[in-house]
């Protein structure tokens, strides 16, 4: 789950523009907000595999950009939404069909 600029987009907003889990403009170093963005964007893969940010092999389990290390099931738990406003989101799980 990532925040996108407008509905129908598939490219996540840069974390500096994030407003869903935290107000990045008002508090850019909010550790809990940044953790939530990472957890939901990468489906908790860092708990399963050792992610390699430089990996470009689409089939490698360490290529977390492709969600290769993600489980088929993801439980993000309950998250209190504290940011009032209109937010557009997209699914990271269904965004790239190259390895599914």
């Amino acid at each position: 789950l990532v925040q996108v600029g407008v509905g129908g987009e598939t490219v996540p907003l840069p974390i500096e523009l994030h407003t869903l889990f935290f107000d990045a403009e008002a508090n850019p170093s909010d550790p809990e907000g940044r953790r939530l963005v990472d957890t939901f964007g990468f489906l908790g893969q860092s708990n399963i595999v050792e992610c390699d940010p430089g990996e470009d092999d689409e089939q490698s389990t360490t290529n977390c950009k492709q969600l290769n290390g993600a489980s088929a099931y993801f439980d993000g738990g309950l998250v209190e939404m504290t940011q009032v406003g209109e937010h557009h989101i997209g699914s990271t799980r269904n965004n790239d069909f190259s390895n599914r």
Side-chain angles (χ1 to χ4, degrees):
L1 178 85
V2 294
Q3 185 174 7
V4 295
V6 296
E9 279 190 3
T10 58
V11 177
L13 282 176
I15 197 161
E16 297 82 16
L17 300 177
H18 210 278
T19 61
L20 179 64
F21 295 123
F22 76 112
D23 185 348
E25 185 178 342
N27 189 4
S29 61
D30 178 354
E32 179 61 11
R34 287 179 165 273
R35 185 191 68 76
L36 286 170
V37 170
D38 184 61
T39 299
F40 279 83
F42 291 103
L43 304 178
Q45 291 177 97
S46 59
N47 298 327
I48 301 168
V49 298
E50 185 70 34
C51 294
D52 179 2
E55 179 62 69
D56 287 327
D57 179 0
E58 288 190 2
Q59 301 305 315
S60 172
T61 57
T62 62
N63 184 351
C64 292
K65 297 175 286 195
Q66 293 289 331
L67 303 179
N68 292 348
S71 168
Y73 176 76
F74 173 72
D75 180 359
L78 294 174
V79 177
E80 181 180 1
M81 305 312 290
T82 59
Q83 300 303 308
V84 177
E86 183 176 314
H87 308 284
H88 301 280
I89 58 171
S91 171
T92 52
R93 186 50 140 170
N94 298 321
N95 193 30
D96 186 351
F97 298 100
S98 65
N99 61 348
R100 309 226 196 299

